[in-house]
Amino acid sequence: MNFDLPSLSRREFLSKSTLGAGLVLGAPSILKAKEAGAPADDIRVGFIGCGKQHEVLFNAMVNIPGIRYVAAADIMKDRLGRTFGAIKSRFDTNIKRYYDAEEMLEKEELDAVFVATPDFWHAPHTIMALEAGCHVYCEKMMSDTLEGARSMVAAMDRTGKLCQIGHQRRSNPRYLFTLEELIKKNKICGQIININGQWNRALSSSQDIAAKPDILPKADVLRKYGFNTGADHELSLEELRHRFLNWRFYKSLSGGPISDLGAHQIDIFNWYLGVQPTSLMASGGRSYFKDREHFDNVMCVFDYDTPEGNVRAFYQVLTTTSSGGGYYESFMGTEGTINISEREAFTKIYKESGTTDAVSDQWDKLVARGVLKKVAAGQAAGGADAIASYESAPPDEYSLPGGLSKQPHTNHIENFIASIRGKATLNCDARHALESEAPIYWVNPAAESKETIIFTDEHLHT
Amino acid sequence: MSSQENSCSNDLGLSLGMLSLRIWLGLRAIQTGLEKFAGIKKIEYVPVEIDGAPNVYELTRSIEVKAYGLSYYKGVPAALEDKFKAEPLIPDFFLAIYDKILGPSLLLLGITILLGIATRISLFAMGLVYTSLTIGLILIKQDAGVAWLGIHIIMVAMALVLAKHDKFAILNKW
């Protein structure tokens, strides 16, 4: 294990690598990898970043065959030890441990790298790994800045390597089935007019993260790795460590709740509709966590022009309440509504009341074929306060015919590994991810300025 | 028929009546106790069939089976426990203890009554258990359950009355 730290800072790296060549679109986006040898060959994997999200990814991939774990890099010794121990106990393999990702990439022969670092390191680490000849799986949000995300697409094109972004819902069988079978093929929603999405997280889940000081990196390490970026004064060790553990609260290190939580779901809006939004209105506030740089609650409305007509999509991310039904994306059409969520418990499908006999027949046939399951006929709430003339008859409730037998990230990683072997194409390569993520980068500016943004190619190009 | 023969015939009837009560009450308690160690275990995921064939999206449904084990143990059902917790006359610590001992108590008393071990003491203890359950159900206004347990108490009392005719027992002392 080498404890020397490199002299290349993030800012220097960015200036020396692809930002200067951000508009160079050399090779076309290669979505299918060249053959990586015989299919039986193990994929040699390294990890950059060994925190909580890394643990989620590792636990999701332990049952995927044909992976050889080789090395991991993190600036925190304790995390490296945990990753080493987890791989050792599960696979009886001693991986190499590095404090520096660049050194790992120089010394190890890796086929693929998983990047699960803070958002402001995603672009540097991804580009570094792509240029070292590795395929990359990088967690969303692609970067803390739109420029950083664009530089990742450029690096993917330039190197010809695969770059999968961790919008894992795009490989989730439930989401794929809903899009392909229910929305596109059988059009059970009719014309989709509105979308409503949310992630409401309880106050108790939104508190500052703390850790024992003796396991945290020292001040010079944190400064070297950019955790003082954007600060207007010399940061104390305590302030640096707060930024290290709570980088999601700082504007120069992340995009805040709208990118942490909202990115997954607004990605679904754009993916399902197949178009980018035309405009954006947003509002946000530091209503509870007054000392945090980012908004603690954000609400926004996107407008879309689809071949079927105009669609408005509302999204909210709240960090002070978990009430209101959890997290889901709701596609509301003239004939039906699909509430889809990564959690099966939040997934519900409704047939509009008063639809034509033809529509009812279609839904009945879908149930008979096994495409849908009927849960319950709509039942009026009743009660003395019900005023019949105000209310529509309640819709019938349906559900998806099945669920997921794996962890939510497993299918997405399987897709990445299969693509490296040349047996699949990426479900969310960097270019497609950026097409979807680009509008999200404008939510915080729209909320700050309180002005509607009419999107142009300048805003949304990849 | 002599009076002695009549007496013998009546004694046999009373003994069989007692045995019937012991079997009913014993098995009732054993099965109820066992069910508190029951849970649902997912054992397999199978592809969902659409138009009679496995779907191409890898949507699956799980096959669930009932299983027994210590890890599934729940003395007081969760639905009732929440209601009991809201009752000021039922302290939380008492509910926690009761939750732990209810299942084992039913199993133990069921076995002793079924086999005829200290039948009178066992029957009385079972009567106390059913009475305690009755009190809980009264508090949360489950009248049907109260009536159902009332029938159990009557059967326990009948068994105690017939205890002197308990001839098919392992330990008839108490």
Side-chain angles (χ1 to χ4, degrees), chain A residues 349-370:
Chain A
I349 299 169
Y350 300 98
K351 178 168 72 69
E352 278 298 309
S353 60
T355 53
T356 62
D357 289 345
V359 171
S360 292
D361 286 347
Q362 184 207 5
W363 284 62
D364 289 344
K365 284 176 184 166
L366 291 175
V367 172
R369 289 176 52 210

Side-chain angles (χ1 to χ4, degrees), chain A residues 293-371:
Chain A
E293 292 182 0
H294 279 299
F295 298 126
D296 56 34
N297 66 101
V298 183
M299 297 177 176
C300 57
V301 178
F302 293 98
D303 261 64
Y304 295 84
D305 282 331
T306 75
E308 286 75 35
N310 179 238
V311 177
R312 271 158 307 287
F314 171 78
Y315 182 78
Q316 69 176 25
V317 56
L318 311 180
T319 60
T320 53
T321 177
S322 59
S323 66
Y327 52 97
Y328 59 80
E329 305 89 50
S330 180
F331 291 80
M332 295 177 276
T334 51
E335 294 168 8
T337 288
I338 301 172
N339 289 1
I340 180 81
S341 172
E342 206 167 42
R343 284 283 312 280
E344 282 188 50
F346 301 145
T347 301
K348 297 180 188 303
I349 299 169
Y350 300 98
K351 178 168 72 69
E352 278 298 309
S353 60
T355 53
T356 62
D357 289 345
V359 171
S360 292
D361 286 347
Q362 184 207 5
W363 284 62
D364 289 344
K365 284 176 184 166
L366 291 175
V367 172
R369 289 176 52 210
V371 178

Side-chain angles (χ1 to χ4, degrees), chain A residues 8 21 34 48 96 132 136 153 190 203 213 245 315 329 334 449 458:
Chain A
L8 190 66
K34 61 185 177 185
I48 301 179
K96 297 277 183 61
V136 175
V153 176
L203 198 55
L245 293 170
Y315 182 78
E329 305 89 50
T334 51
S449 68
E458 193 65 26

Side-chain angles (χ1 to χ4, degrees), chain A residues 125-180:
Chain A
H125 282 147
T126 296
I127 295 165
M128 218 185 268
L130 289 169
E131 292 187 336
C134 300
H135 304 293
V136 175
Y137 182 109
C138 179
E139 265 304 318
K140 68 86 211 159
M141 188 81 169
M142 288 177 73
S143 171
D144 59 323
T145 66
L146 192 47
E147 291 73 23
R150 285 170 177 157
S151 71
M152 293 165 73
V153 176
M156 178 182 75
D157 289 344
R158 190 173 59 252
T159 60
K161 291 294 173 183
L162 300 177
C163 183
Q164 173 101 305
I165 303 301
H167 290 290
Q168 72 276 359
R169 287 166 174 79
R170 291 208 183 207
S171 298
N172 186 316
R174 295 168 59 254
Y175 276 85
L176 287 164
F177 179 84
T178 299
L179 176 62
E180 298 299 332

Side-chain angles (χ1 to χ4, degrees), chain A residues 22-172:
Chain A
L23 297 177
V24 177
L25 298 175
S29 177
I30 298 173
L31 305 183
K32 197 167 185 175
K34 61 185 177 185
E35 293 290 338
D41 284 355
D42 283 352
I43 304 293
R44 295 163 297 185
V45 162
F47 295 106
I48 301 179
C50 297
K52 289 287 180 196
Q53 192 56 30
H54 154 77
E55 289 176 14
V56 170
L57 294 178
F58 177 68
N59 289 331
M61 64 198 286
V62 291
N63 291 320
I64 299 175
I67 295 177
R68 193 195 316 162
Y69 299 97
V70 175
D74 197 292
I75 63 171
M76 192 166 146
K77 187 178 180 182
D78 185 66
R79 288 177 180 169
L80 274 174
R82 278 208 301 270
T83 296
F84 179 88
I87 294 173
K88 173 76 176 169
S89 65
R90 179 98 191 184
F91 298 100
D92 196 25
T93 298
N94 293 320
I95 61 161
K96 297 277 183 61
R97 287 170 281 183
Y98 294 89
Y99 283 154
D100 183 72
E102 195 176 22
E103 186 190 354
M104 180 183 84
L105 293 169
E106 279 172 9
K107 291 188 174 174
E108 301 297 335
E109 279 194 33
L110 301 170
D111 297 312
V113 166
F114 286 75
V115 176
T117 47
D119 287 0
F120 74 107
W121 267 105
H122 283 178
H125 282 147
T126 296
I127 295 165
M128 218 185 268
L130 289 169
E131 292 187 336
C134 300
H135 304 293
V136 175
Y137 182 109
C138 179
E139 265 304 318
K140 68 86 211 159
M141 188 81 169
M142 288 177 73
S143 171
D144 59 323
T145 66
L146 192 47
E147 291 73 23
R150 285 170 177 157
S151 71
M152 293 165 73
V153 176
M156 178 182 75
D157 289 344
R158 190 173 59 252
T159 60
K161 291 294 173 183
L162 300 177
C163 183
Q164 173 101 305
I165 303 301
H167 290 290
Q168 72 276 359
R169 287 166 174 79
R170 291 208 183 207
S171 298
N172 186 316

Side-chain angles (χ1 to χ4, degrees), chain A residues 184-392:
Chain A
K184 283 186 178 173
K185 188 173 170 186
N186 291 295
K187 301 183 189 303
I188 68 164
C189 292
Q191 182 186 345
I192 293 173
I193 306 287
N194 302 105
I195 303 174
N196 186 18
Q198 67 171 47
W199 196 314
N200 293 356
R201 178 174 275 184
L203 198 55
S204 58
S205 302
S206 308
Q207 300 300 314
D208 288 20
I209 297 168
K212 290 177 187 169
D214 57 333
I215 64 169
L216 296 175
K218 293 187 167 63
D220 60 332
V221 175
L222 293 172
R223 287 196 186 95
K224 190 170 279 283
Y225 284 92
F227 284 92
N228 57 345
T229 305
D232 57 4
H233 63 281
E234 183 76 12
L235 299 177
S236 67
L237 176 59
E238 191 180 346
E239 288 173 316
L240 282 164
R241 285 177 167 170
H242 188 269
R243 281 171 155 248
F244 172 65
L245 293 170
N246 299 282
W247 51 269
R248 288 181 169 86
F249 302 165
Y250 294 92
K251 284 186 173 178
S252 54
L253 311 182
S254 82
I258 194 67
S259 82
D260 282 338
L261 302 174
H264 278 304
Q265 298 173 286
I266 297 169
D267 172 57
I268 303 302
F269 296 179
N270 301 331
W271 175 38
Y272 271 26
L273 292 179
V275 295
Q276 290 179 301
T278 55
S279 69
L280 162 68
M281 292 185 290
S283 177
R286 296 166 195 88
S287 306
Y288 183 84
F289 296 105
K290 298 184 189 305
D291 296 334
R292 289 186 186 171
E293 292 182 0
H294 279 299
F295 298 126
D296 56 34
N297 66 101
V298 183
M299 297 177 176
C300 57
V301 178
F302 293 98
D303 261 64
Y304 295 84
D305 282 331
T306 75
E308 286 75 35
N310 179 238
V311 177
R312 271 158 307 287
F314 171 78
Y315 182 78
Q316 69 176 25
V317 56
L318 311 180
T319 60
T320 53
T321 177
S322 59
S323 66
Y327 52 97
Y328 59 80
E329 305 89 50
S330 180
F331 291 80
M332 295 177 276
T334 51
E335 294 168 8
T337 288
I338 301 172
N339 289 1
I340 180 81
S341 172
E342 206 167 42
R343 284 283 312 280
E344 282 188 50
F346 301 145
T347 301
K348 297 180 188 303
I349 299 169
Y350 300 98
K351 178 168 72 69
E352 278 298 309
S353 60
T355 53
T356 62
D357 289 345
V359 171
S360 292
D361 286 347
Q362 184 207 5
W363 284 62
D364 289 344
K365 284 176 184 166
L366 291 175
V367 172
R369 289 176 52 210
V371 178
L372 283 174
K373 278 203 302 193
K374 186 160 187 178
V375 176
Q379 289 189 333
D385 57 342
I387 301 173
S389 61
Y390 288 4
E391 297 181 7
S392 303

